[in-house]
């Protein structure tokens, strides 16, 4: 059997989730993780045959260099790559650096010199988002450390190696401080998690300075832990800062499942260059992160504090707080933020996701959105002129200016949640461009019934869903087979109650229980709901005011940075406590220490 055939056979054997019993001890988990790691590197090393000199990029080059194979092919591909001018800015920088460190000790000096010279002749754009800068500065730092004595004439920006390293370190240190005190800006993105894991893994693996290497490792673990606590079977649950249209309805098409396969083994195999970087880095997540990501036996509430990205206009604060609440069960995860313009373009304010046997092609989600499009939002987060900003956004995010879009925040949306009940309220002024509220009803729902009581009942997997709209509505089916519920009433809202199917003897029993719940709704003068949940909690929400639970308003002022059974951190602390049962791990960014303890 050839090496390529053996690697393919291993990958085919790992395309389904790994049973928990196969990773039930630290040693068994480590063995399974290393097998996945090695198979991912083998996949990239052999996805292009050695006889094909016309295909393959930096990741394929890096994989062959990591494995010490096919040097003739590697050099030929580098020749081909160097024959064309670079492009991609920071998205060129991190694949390049991956290949550079894979071949630093084995590439001929003449090839290293030609590769090095690209950092003199090509000027990558720094970008304008949090992930852009994380990628840009981490990779610039690593390349500058390789040539610490080079003067400015050896760099595209005219700065010396030491100046570039100092600037990069200053930015990365401040970004980590901000994220560990008031939260990350591009928070909890199923797609953009890849471009935080990748640069931190590169720092953790290749920074020579012990401080920067430790910072990379700690921030890498911080991002992974954040994902683990809201992960259900590899899905990234809850509210998200940035998610694409394709990923909001089918999260398998986002990046997070690729990491779930590598780190937890609970998703089918799917390759990505960023998960390859994690594999090449040699990092192995501690066993308690695997346990946190996969143990859903006991339902739990999890709270997080995040922040908006930097606001330039139309706001009194630079970084407004984002209050996240997630309710996790074995059958589903329901999570939300408070609503408003928390992120431009790609925000998901709340979502329900239920477990499925195979995520590929599954539309296992339910949510609402108020499709807002206005230069006020664009100029809040971007520096462009108001007359141009929407057009510039639409060039890359075509869905932004559509009334049927599935992503985006709205200043007229207010959401609050307690456990598996949620209330969404909308007060849309006259003259708003898209005066509508949309709800996504998946093609994968096995039941969808409109009840004379006003409730709409649905079932997704083992999640029973009850949805009570405050105003009249209509239905529209899209080309993918999903249904858009929509309402054009300006004063609007909905009550959402979710429950596990196993709690009820029958579907009719669930509907009967929901119909019997105390519920009062109004739309004038503003939308308002009083509702008693299936668990007996009394919720009251009025647009413009905090929701109350059993008469007590939600305490946004005291909202923690993290709070739940697994992750805990006070805002401003720069410390994250990660615990599973008796084992705890503390990431302390004030002194850059990682401390492990086990309670007897």
């Amino acid at each position: 059997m050839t090496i390529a055939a053996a690697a393919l056979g291993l990958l085919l054997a790992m395309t389904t989730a790994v049973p928990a019993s196969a990773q039930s001890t630290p040693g068994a988990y480590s063995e399974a993780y290393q097998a996945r790691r090695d198979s991912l590197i083998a996949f990239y090393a052999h996805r292009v045959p050695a006889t094909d000199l016309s295909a393959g990029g930096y990741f394929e080059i890096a994989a062959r260099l990591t494995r010490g194979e096919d040097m003739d092919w590697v050099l030929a591909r580098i020749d081909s790559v160097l024959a064309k001018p670079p492009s991609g800015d920071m998205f060129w920088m991190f694949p390049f650096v991956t290949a550079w460190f894979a071949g630093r000790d084995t590439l001929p000096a003449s090839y290293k010199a030609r590769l090095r010279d690209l950092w003199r002749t090509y000027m990558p754009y720094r970008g304008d988002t949090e992930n852009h800068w994380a990628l840009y500065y981490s990779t610039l730092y690593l390349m500058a450390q390789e040539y610490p004595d080079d003067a400015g004439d050896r760099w595209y920006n005219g700065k010396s190696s030491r100046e570039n390293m100092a600037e990069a370190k200053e930015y990365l240190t401040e970004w980590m401080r901000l994220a560990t005190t008031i939260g990350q800006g591009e928070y909890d993105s199923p797609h953009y998690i890849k471009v935080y894991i990748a640069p931190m893994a590169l720092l953790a693996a290749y920074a020579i300075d012990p401080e920067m290497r430790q910072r990379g490792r700690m921030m890498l673990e911080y991002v992974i832990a954040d994902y683990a606590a809201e992960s259900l079977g590899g899905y990234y649950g809850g509210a998200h800062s940035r998610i694409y249209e394709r990923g909001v309805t089918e999260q398998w098409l986002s990046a997070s499942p690729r990491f779930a396969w590598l780190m937890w083994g609970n998703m089918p195999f799917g390759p990505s260059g960023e998960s390859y970087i994690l594999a090449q880095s040699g990092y192995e997540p501690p066993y308690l992160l695997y346990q946190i990501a996969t143990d859903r036996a006991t339902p739990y509430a999890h709270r997080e504090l995040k922040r908006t990205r930097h606001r330039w206009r139309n706001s009194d604060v630079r970084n407004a707080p984002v209050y996240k609440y997630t309710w996790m069960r074995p059958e589903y995860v329901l999570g939300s933020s408070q609503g408003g313009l928390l992120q431009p373009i790609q925000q998901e304010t709340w979502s329900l996701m239920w477990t499925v046997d195979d995520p590929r092609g599954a539309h296992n989600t339910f949510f609402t959105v108020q499709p807002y499009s206005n230069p006020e939002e664009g100029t809040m987060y971007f520096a462009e002129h108001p007359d141009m900003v929407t057009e510039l956004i639409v060039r890359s995010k075509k869905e932004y200016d559509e009334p049927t879009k599935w992503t985006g925040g709205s200043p007229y949306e207010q959401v609050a949640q307690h456990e598996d009940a949620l209330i969404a309220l909308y007060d849309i002024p006259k003259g708003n461009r898209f005066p509508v509220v949309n709800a996504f009803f998946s093609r994968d729902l096995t039941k969808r019934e409109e009840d004379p009581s006003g409730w709409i009942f649905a079932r997704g997997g083992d999640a029973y869903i009850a949805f009570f709209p405050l105003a009249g509505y209509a239905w529209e089916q899209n080309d993918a087979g999903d249904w858009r519920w929509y309402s054009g009433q300006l004063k609007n809202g909905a009550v959402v109650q979710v429950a596990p199917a196993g709690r009820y003897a029958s579907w009719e029993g669930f509907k009967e229980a929901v119909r019997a719940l105390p519920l009062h709704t109004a739309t004038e003068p503003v939308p308002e709901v009083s509702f008693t949940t299936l668990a007996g909690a009394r919720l009251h929400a009025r647009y413009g005011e905090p929701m109350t639970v059993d008469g007590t308003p939600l305490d946004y002022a005291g909202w923690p940075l993290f709070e739940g059974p697994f992750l805990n951190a006070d805002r401003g602390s720069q410390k994250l406590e990660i615990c599973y049962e008796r084992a705890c791990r503390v990431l302390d960014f004030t002194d850059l220490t990682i401390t492990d303890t086990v309670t007897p």
Side-chain angles (χ1 to χ4, degrees), residues 133-406:
W133 289 19
L135 291 168
Y136 178 91
Y137 280 118
S138 61
T139 51
L140 177 60
Y141 179 90
L142 290 170
M143 282 306 297
Q145 80 168 10
E146 293 294 277
Y147 298 90
D149 299 321
D150 278 4
D153 61 357
R154 298 287 296 136
W155 294 96
Y156 61 86
N157 57 12
K159 299 178 182 179
S160 70
S161 294
R162 298 193 188 281
E163 289 173 317
N164 279 321
M165 291 176 69
E167 180 181 328
K169 180 178 180 178
E170 180 182 17
Y171 171 76
L172 292 167
T173 300
E174 173 59 17
W175 168 66
M176 293 175 190
R177 185 200 66 78
L178 196 62
T180 57
T181 54
I182 62 172
Q184 198 171 343
E186 284 184 334
Y187 55 86
D188 303 343
S189 169
H191 184 74
Y192 285 92
I193 186 176
K194 67 181 184 179
V195 280
Y196 292 102
I197 286 181
M200 295 305 102
L202 289 170
L203 278 179
Y206 304 119
I208 296 173
D209 176 53
E211 177 188 338
M212 291 304 288
R213 187 167 61 249
Q214 182 76 338
R215 284 190 176 279
R217 172 165 185 170
M218 290 175 64
M219 201 64 200
L220 172 63
E221 205 155 288
Y222 198 97
V223 171
I224 293 173
D226 196 350
Y227 170 37
E230 293 185 288
S231 177
L232 179 64
Y235 287 108
Y236 210 142
H240 306 119
S241 62
R242 298 190 67 182
I243 188 167
Y244 283 91
E245 289 271 308
R246 64 183 184 273
V248 77
T249 56
E250 186 181 339
Q251 199 180 113
W252 167 253
L253 300 177
S254 294
S256 51
R258 313 302 181 250
F259 291 103
W261 171 82
L262 175 60
M263 295 190 296
W264 324 131
N266 59 355
M267 273 278 179
F269 170 75
S272 75
E274 294 81 10
S275 62
Y276 170 82
I277 289 174
L278 186 62
Q280 180 180 301
S281 75
Y283 174 80
E284 179 179 317
Y287 186 55
L288 86 167
L289 284 183
Y290 163 76
Q291 294 172 300
I292 290 169
T294 57
D295 185 354
R296 296 295 175 258
T298 303
Y300 63 86
H302 176 79
R303 294 197 294 169
E304 294 181 1
L305 177 70
K306 303 298 184 185
R307 60 176 172 86
T308 64
R309 59 186 286 178
H310 297 331
R311 291 174 165 178
W312 308 118
R313 291 170 285 195
N314 309 326
S315 177
D316 294 331
V317 294
R318 186 183 189 191
N319 302 110
V322 178
Y323 306 106
K324 286 193 53 180
Y325 182 101
T326 300
W327 179 250
M328 182 71 70
R329 288 195 54 89
E331 304 88 352
Y332 56 83
V333 52
L334 178 68
S336 62
S337 57
Q338 78 271 25
L341 295 177
L342 306 178
Q343 288 290 321
I345 310 168
Q346 297 172 306
Q347 175 180 323
E348 184 172 30
T349 302
W350 73 270
S351 73
L352 168 72
M353 300 193 74
W354 57 87
T355 55
V356 293
D357 292 333
D358 191 334
R360 293 166 290 194
H363 289 194
N364 54 324
T365 187
F366 176 67
F367 56 89
T368 60
V369 62
Q370 200 284 299
Y372 180 74
S373 171
N374 194 296
E376 180 178 351
E377 177 184 25
T379 54
M380 179 182 289
Y381 290 110
F382 301 106
E384 280 71 21
H385 191 278
D387 293 342
M388 301 172 55
V389 68
T390 300
E391 178 192 347
L392 291 171
I393 290 172
V394 171
R395 288 181 188 178
S396 63
K397 309 293 188 298
K398 295 183 175 19
E399 69 279 359
Y400 175 71
D401 209 33
E402 297 290 338
T404 57
K405 66 181 179 179
W406 291 123

Side-chain angles (χ1 to χ4, degrees), residues 390-459:
T390 300
E391 178 192 347
L392 291 171
I393 290 172
V394 171
R395 288 181 188 178
S396 63
K397 309 293 188 298
K398 295 183 175 19
E399 69 279 359
Y400 175 71
D401 209 33
E402 297 290 338
T404 57
K405 66 181 179 179
W406 291 123
T407 59
S410 168
Y412 313 126
E413 177 180 54
Q414 181 175 311
V415 174
Q417 178 186 348
H418 177 70
E419 296 182 351
D420 42 20
L422 178 147
I423 297 173
L425 302 177
Y426 303 89
D427 195 354
I428 307 169
K430 291 181 180 179
N432 185 59
R433 191 141 176 268
F434 299 139
V436 67
V437 177
N438 298 324
F440 180 81
F441 279 78
S442 167
R443 67 192 184 192
D444 294 346
L445 292 168
T446 54
K447 294 181 182 292
R448 179 171 62 86
E449 300 176 8
E450 296 175 270
D451 195 76
S453 65
W455 286 97
I456 300 173
F457 294 107
R459 177 171 183 170

Side-chain angles (χ1 to χ4, degrees), residues 112-123:
K112 291 180 65 176
R114 292 164 64 197
L115 289 166
R116 163 66 184 93
D117 200 48
L118 293 177
W119 292 74
R120 179 185 64 84
T121 59
Y122 175 58
M123 185 168 188

